[in-house]
Amino acid sequence: MHPDVKTFFDEATYTATHVVWDPDTREAAIIDSVKDYDPKSGRTGTACADAVIAFVKQRGLTVVWILETHVHADHLTAAPYLKEELGGKVAIGARIDQVQQVFKKLFNTEEGFTADGRQFDRLLEDGDSLSIGKLDVRVIHTPGHTPACVTYVIGDAAFVGDTLFMPDFGTARCDFPGGDARTLFRSIRKILALPPETRLFMCHDYAPNGRGYRWETTVGAERAENIHVRDGVSEDDFVEMRSARDKELDMPVLILPSVQVNMRAGDMPPAEDNGLRYLKIPVDAL
């Protein structure tokens, strides 16, 4: 099976949103959407999501799934807005509860916030399957970057979230709560066990060395060329490299607003008694 894929790239957050559809039935999924957010003013917007919506309507697609590969730390999801405008169910990996439990404490969320994933329409376990028209979607639990990370295998394509990057940029960081370099290596080997011609779609690209933005490669290219996990790199060597590299990385610019929104399936915290919603900035906590 060969799904059609259209990618929208948000240069402000270096995020690739993928629309995947069955060319026969026109049913579609949207993977890793973006809601605009200005950290200077706190204002949100829908320009990125509106471009996706316009494409879906222009192509006559029916959205049945809005899929998250994980709780993103670098952009806000537009899932609720897309669901309102296009329909579809919002799904994420079932280990979202582990992420929520950590950040519920960090952000001291309101009493009614539940850390059991119920904010999402569907929680996905390793080996679960979904349908997009005639296309089968296989879920692979690929933790290491976060506990809830999943990869979606749809026909000859796989959507890997932050687990992998393009071969010249390497792999995801593992220093977020619940992250683990050894676990990530083993998750990546699951992905790289797919047929070598499998198309791999990234969630981010940072255009290293001045090249243009790219977000599609293959299992074969990653196995031959990935600077962190190409064939021949041992698990111990990867763990040593990844752990040293993570110590040098700054936190993502939008990690604090992103996580507290994305762990709610994209909803903002409830309004306070003055009618305004607030995002918290914990001081000296990270």
Side-chain angles (χ1 to χ4, degrees):
M1 294 183 291
H2 185 83
D4 287 341
V5 181
K6 169 68 174 177
T7 300
F8 296 81
F9 190 75
D10 175 41
E11 195 167 351
T13 61
Y14 307 103
T15 302
T17 297
H18 308 290
V19 180
V20 190
W21 70 96
D22 173 10
D24 291 336
T25 67
R26 316 299 289 174
E27 288 193 357
I30 300 170
I31 303 176
D32 292 335
S33 64
V34 175
K35 184 174 187 176
D36 308 318
Y37 177 76
D38 180 2
K40 298 184 293 296
S41 67
R43 289 192 174 276
T44 64
T46 60
C48 290
D50 287 337
V52 173
I53 291 168
F55 175 82
V56 166
K57 291 181 176 179
Q58 187 268 327
R59 289 297 182 96
L61 304 179
T62 300
V63 173
V64 292
W65 291 105
I66 300 168
L67 302 175
E68 304 286 357
T69 54
H70 63 296
V71 172
H72 306 278
D74 38 31
H75 69 275
L76 279 64
T77 177
Y81 178 66
L82 291 172
K83 181 178 178 179
E84 179 181 353
E85 295 294 319
L86 297 173
K89 295 182 178 180
V90 181
I92 197 169
R95 299 290 79 77
I96 178 64
D97 60 340
Q98 296 181 20
V99 178
Q100 290 175 325
Q101 287 161 16
V102 170
F103 288 103
K104 176 179 181 177
K105 295 177 182 177
L106 177 65
F107 293 115
N108 194 29
T109 58
E110 71 280 1
E111 186 175 345
F113 178 80
T114 55
D116 58 6
R118 70 178 63 182
Q119 298 84 356
F120 296 82
D121 297 315
R122 176 83 180 265
L123 301 181
L124 301 167
E125 299 280 0
D126 185 59
D128 277 355
S129 61
L130 307 171
S131 295
I132 304 171
K134 298 177 183 178
L135 298 174
D136 293 326
V137 182
R138 179 161 61 97
V139 179
I140 304 177
H141 185 213
T142 48
H145 175 56
T146 81
C149 289
V150 293
T151 292
Y152 298 104
V153 181
I154 308 174
D156 69 345
F159 300 83
V160 301
D162 288 10
T163 302
L164 276 169
F165 295 115
M166 295 298 293
D168 58 352
F169 200 76
T171 57
R173 65 193 298 164
C174 301
D175 58 335
F176 294 157
D180 180 80
R182 197 168 297 278
T183 300
L184 180 67
F185 182 86
R186 295 173 185 177
S187 292
I188 290 171
R189 297 317 302 182
K190 289 191 222 177
I191 296 170
L192 298 186
L194 294 169
E197 65 274 14
T198 304
R199 297 179 290 161
L200 298 182
F201 290 87
M202 312 293 111
C203 182
H204 296 288
D205 189 61
Y206 300 96
N209 302 313
R211 67 159 169 75
Y213 292 114
R214 296 171 54 204
W215 46 78
E216 181 181 349
T217 182
T218 65
V219 166
E222 292 281 15
R223 292 186 63 167
E225 304 168 11
N226 188 286
I227 59 174
H228 294 167
V229 287
R230 63 186 177 275
D231 287 354
V233 175
S234 72
E235 182 175 315
D236 287 342
D237 287 342
F238 174 79
V239 170
E240 181 179 0
M241 176 282 302
R242 188 70 262 173
S243 299
R245 180 172 172 79
D246 288 347
K247 291 178 182 178
E248 301 175 353
L249 298 177
D250 292 332
M251 284 289 104
V253 173
L254 296 184
I255 184 171
L256 294 173
S258 295
V259 170
Q260 58 188 304
V261 170
N262 295 341
M263 71 178 186
R264 301 170 183 270
D267 287 329
M268 291 289 175
E272 298 194 7
D273 56 10
N274 61 356
L276 297 179
R277 301 175 185 267
Y278 292 88
L279 297 175
K280 295 181 179 180
I281 305 296
V283 177
D284 295 331
L286 295 181

